[in-house]
Amino acid sequence: MFKFNFIDKNTNEISSDSLETNQTVALCSTQIFANETIPCLNISASDLNYFNCTNNLIVKYLSTNYIIKCMKDQSNAIIYADRNHSDLVAGVYEGGLKIWECTQDLINFISFNNTQLANQSVLDLGCGVGIIGTFCLLKGAFVYFQDYNPEVIRSVTIPNVMLNLENLKNVQEFSKFYSGDWTSFLDILKENKIKFDIILTSETIYNTESYSKLHSIFTNCLKKDGVVYVAAKTYYFGVGGGLRSFEEFVSSKGILNFTPVWTHSNGISREIIKLSWKHEMQ
Ligand SMILES: C[S@@+](CC[C@H](N)C(=O)[O-])C[C@H]1O[C@@H](n2cnc3c(N)ncnc32)[C@H](O)[C@@H]1O
C-alpha cells in the first residue's frame, strides 16, 4: 500500500520518499503554464522518438530514458514507479510516461474518418505523453491537455508539445495544461465555463472507480453537438475496468448515447466508442 500525504506545496507532486504506508489522497487539479517549465536542453538524436500518425504526419517526443535522466535528482512518483518497474501505481502514478496502444487506434480513427479538428476545442483527457493532443494541435485545434501527475505534464507533455510547435508563443496561444484528479479538474472546468467540441481519451477506463468522474466531465463539459471518443481495451484483466462495464455504467445514467465505432479483435481486444448527447438531453 502507498501513502502520499507528503505533497510538495510548490509543485503539487508526490514525494517518492513518502510512498510507503497506507493512506491515499487524490492529487488536486492545477493549471501548469508552459513558460514555467524548464526547457529541454542538450537533446541529442537518440533522445528523440517519432510517432508515425497517418498521412505522413509525425509527432516528435522525448525518449523515456532522456526524461528519467533529466529527473534523476528528483524524488517523485515517476522516479518511484520507474525504480519499481511499474506501469501504473493506482492514485500515485497513473501511467502517463508511456504511450499506450489505444493512442494509435484513436489517431488512426480520427484521421481516417476526417474528423474536423481545425478550430475545434479539444480535450486530451489523461494525455500522458500527449501524442493525441499534439496531433490535434498540428491539425489546427485548440487543445487542453490533462494528466494526473504534474511531473508528467511538466517534464513530458509540455516539452513534447514544444518540440512539435517549435516556440513557446504557439504553445501558449493554442494549448493549456492541467494536472490532478478528474474530480477537481471538473471543478476548474465548471468554474471557468469551459466546454469542448471533442473529448478524446485513450486507456483511461481501466479502473471502475473512475467511471463516474469521467462521465461527469463528459456531461458537464461537452458542447451541444460535441462528441467524445473513448479508446480502450475491451477488458483490463486484473485491474477491473473495461468497455462492457463502462457501457453499462453510461447506459444506466441515461444521458449519453454509446455507439461502438471501431473494433480490433486479434489478440487483446481493443475498441473505440463514441458518446454523444441523447436528443432529449440537448
Ligand atoms: C494508462 S494512461 C494512458 C495515457 C495516454 N492516454 C495513452 O493512451 O498513452 C492513463 C492516463 O489517465 C490519467 N488518469 C488516470 N486516472 C486519473 C484520475 N483519477 N484523474 C486524472 N487523471 C487520471 C493518467 O494520468 C494517464 O495519463
Side-chain angles (χ1 to χ4, degrees):
M1 289 298 275
F2 303 94
K3 164 178 164 178
F4 45 105
N5 59 353
F6 177 70
I7 295 174
D8 185 311
K9 289 212 172 61
N10 295 320
T11 63
N12 199 29
E13 289 174 9
I14 301 160
S15 161
S16 70
D17 299 335
S18 63
L19 300 173
E20 300 303 338
T21 54
N22 56 11
Q23 193 187 335
T24 55
V25 182
L27 284 180
C28 202
S29 196
T30 179
Q31 184 173 3
I32 298 181
F33 295 92
N35 60 336
E36 289 169 6
T37 60
I38 303 149
C40 321
L41 299 168
N42 304 324
I43 302 169
S44 65
S46 63
D47 298 324
L48 276 185
N49 286 334
Y50 299 88
F51 190 94
N52 212 341
C53 306
T54 44
N55 299 331
N56 297 327
L57 200 151
I58 305 257
V59 172
K60 293 180 241 171
Y61 64 100
L62 294 167
S63 74
T64 309
N65 282 347
Y66 176 79
I67 291 157
I68 297 290
K69 195 171 71 188
C70 294
M71 280 185 179
K72 74 176 184 323
D73 297 327
Q74 299 172 30
S75 161
N76 64 33
I78 292 181
I79 296 295
Y80 178 86
D82 182 62
R83 255 190 235 131
N84 290 283
H85 309 288
S86 305
D87 274 348
L88 215 146
V89 185
V92 176
Y93 161 65
E94 291 285 350
L97 199 55
K98 77 168 211 184
I99 302 171
W100 295 68
E101 266 177 309
C102 296
T103 278
Q104 182 82 62
D105 299 339
L106 196 46
I107 287 186
N108 289 348
F109 178 82
I110 54 181
S111 198
F112 286 135
N113 286 284
N114 284 322
T115 304
Q116 163 74 24
L117 292 166
N119 302 317
Q120 299 292 288
S121 158
V122 173
L123 171 61
D124 184 352
L125 190 59
C127 63
V129 176
I131 303 287
I132 293 170
T134 306
F135 172 82
C136 296
L137 273 175
L138 295 173
K139 291 280 185 183
F142 186 101
V143 181
Y144 285 71
F145 291 85
Q146 178 280 332
D147 192 271
Y148 185 75
N149 292 100
E151 52 275 60
V152 168
I153 291 287
R154 255 188 232 109
S155 306
V156 185
T157 322
I158 292 177
N160 285 338
V161 173
M162 294 267 225
L163 276 174
N164 290 278
L165 259 55
E166 277 159 17
N167 68 59
L168 181 62
K169 191 172 162 287
N170 284 343
V171 176
Q172 288 171 319
E173 197 170 335
F174 297 109
S175 52
K176 289 193 179 190
F177 302 87
Y178 295 85
S179 67
D181 188 71
W182 287 318
T183 305
S184 53
F185 179 52
L186 175 58
D187 293 339
I188 295 184
L189 294 174
K190 276 168 51 181
E191 220 171 273
N192 293 287
K193 300 189 169 54
I194 298 168
K195 297 208 180 217
F196 302 98
D197 297 298
I198 305 173
I199 300 179
L200 300 172
T201 190
S202 158
E203 309 245 16
T204 49
I205 58 149
Y206 48 86
N207 180 352
T208 54
E209 282 172 23
S210 297
Y211 291 1
S212 72
K213 299 181 189 182
L214 290 166
H215 189 267
S216 295
I217 292 183
F218 302 158
T219 52
N220 280 283
C221 304
L222 191 64
K223 288 187 186 171
K224 191 167 164 272
D225 297 315
V227 285
V228 181
Y229 289 110
V230 181
K233 306 213 164 82
T234 309
Y235 299 105
Y236 286 89
F237 295 102
V239 194
L243 273 166
R244 291 295 74 76
S245 57
F246 186 61
E247 178 174 9
E248 256 174 49
F249 181 89
V250 172
S251 304
S252 73
K253 295 288 173 193
I255 303 173
L256 299 170
N257 280 321
F258 184 107
T259 318
V261 290
W262 181 87
T263 310
H264 169 94
S265 47
N266 240 347
I268 293 179
S269 169
R270 311 190 303 271
E271 299 175 44
I272 298 176
I273 56 114
K274 174 180 163 181
L275 301 175
S276 54
W277 292 107
K278 290 195 172 189
H279 287 308
E280 62 272 25
M281 295 294 170
Q282 288 188 344

